[in-house]
Amino acid sequence: MRVGSGGAVRGPGSWARRAAVAAAVAGVAAAAVLLPSTASARPAPTAPAAAPAPTWAPREGAAVHPGVGTTTQGGGACTSNFVFRGGDGSVYLGQAAHCAGTGQSSETDGCTSATMPAGTAVTVRGDRGFTATGTMVYSSWVTMQRRGETDPTTCAYNDFALVKLPPEAVAVTNPTVPWFGGPTGVATGGLPEGAQTFSYGNSPVRGGVSALSPKAGVSAGDVGDGWGHIVYTVSPGVPGDSGSAFLDSSGRAIGLLSTLNLAPLPVSNGVSDLSRVLAYANTHGDLGDLSLVDGTAPFTSTPPGVAVEDLAPPAGPPVGAAS
């Protein structure tokens, strides 16, 4: 049984919601041609200039970064995952699509579950009291329902949304994952059984105790033909951790927290694969070419300030349990 993840906080005492390119544009060279006197010469087409990259805020002083909290109007409170850019230069913060869900926590099928629409306001709760209002401009759930998606695996594991940040939030954003650094790109090879993974949660249930946020985990294997991964962490996701970023042992972005699994592996977390959900957004979304923004600091699996025993991978389930 899969339920909304250690996920979106929807109210006091409630559990959360559910819970797997940039195109280079070549310039066009135009040769001079003599035209008949009755024809007018047309200027050669030119490639649009790429939007300049933002100047990211310093890592230590950034108010907005992967792992800050989000609250979706009509939905729940969650944790953001990574920073993304569009081809037009827009900056987005990732979260789980089910953070905008309006149904029961047991509704985990993105093709049938009730959800707030694109355009819904999202409050971004940054560090040191910073808040800003962004807009959910993409939701895999909304997109799949609009398209009439019928593939059951895609419907079950495609759990990804993007919040467009306003200029005042972009100005104080840094794309680095707290504690661990990175990401160092998007992982495309899955998360094999036994592979180590690292995450950062920011649930309000922790009462602001940041030392409880960094987590190490171990994979129980891929599921859904690679659309998802089953993960055990030292402490499983709690309400409000939905959408949290997961990194592999090289610091690459592997996915985001989606579900809390009660069976067949109790107290494990379901992680949606980032390469799959991002590819779906690029193919079927309306935002153009989207890309992950790498962190400005290198990845480390042993961040300072975190006890080594807290980052030791847990034993996890018996070998082959996820299958």
Side-chain angles (χ1 to χ4, degrees), residues 251-276:
R252 294 170 299 191
I254 185 66
L256 59 143
L257 180 63
S258 180
T259 59
L260 171 65
N261 301 320
L262 302 181
L265 300 178
V267 201
S268 63
N269 285 132
V271 174
S272 291
D273 184 84
L274 183 65
S275 68
R276 299 293 185 96

Side-chain angles (χ1 to χ4, degrees), residues 81-269:
N81 45 75
F82 302 105
V83 175
F84 300 85
R85 287 192 70 213
D88 63 354
S90 296
V91 176
Y92 307 100
L93 199 57
Q95 68 171 20
H98 78 257
C99 296
T102 58
Q104 301 299 314
S105 62
S106 58
E107 296 179 26
T108 60
D109 186 312
C111 294
T112 59
S113 299
T115 179
M116 297 296 290
T120 296
V122 178
T123 300
V124 177
R125 306 187 310 275
D127 293 349
R128 295 174 293 280
F130 177 86
T131 62
T133 300
T135 304
M136 187 181 73
V137 292
Y138 171 79
S139 161
S140 60
W141 285 19
V142 171
T143 302
M144 291 191 297
Q145 292 175 23
R146 184 194 69 209
R147 296 187 63 246
E149 180 65 65
T150 58
D151 179 70
T153 300
T154 305
C155 292
Y157 293 98
N158 191 8
D159 187 7
F160 180 59
L162 289 168
V163 178
K164 184 175 181 179
L165 296 177
E168 65 270 22
V170 174
V172 294
T173 293
N174 184 282
T176 307
V177 176
W179 297 95
F180 297 108
T184 60
V186 178
T188 57
L191 197 64
E193 185 174 21
Q196 195 166 7
T197 183
F198 302 88
S199 182
Y200 176 87
N202 192 18
S203 171
V205 172
R206 292 188 177 87
V209 182
S210 60
L212 299 177
S213 293
K215 297 181 291 183
V218 64
S219 173
D222 298 335
V223 292
D225 295 326
W227 271 92
H229 318 286
I230 302 300
V231 171
Y232 276 84
T233 54
V234 173
S235 60
V238 298
D241 280 342
S242 272
S244 300
F246 277 78
L247 302 168
D248 68 10
S249 59
S250 297
R252 294 170 299 191
I254 185 66
L256 59 143
L257 180 63
S258 180
T259 59
L260 171 65
N261 301 320
L262 302 181
L265 300 178
V267 201
S268 63
N269 285 132

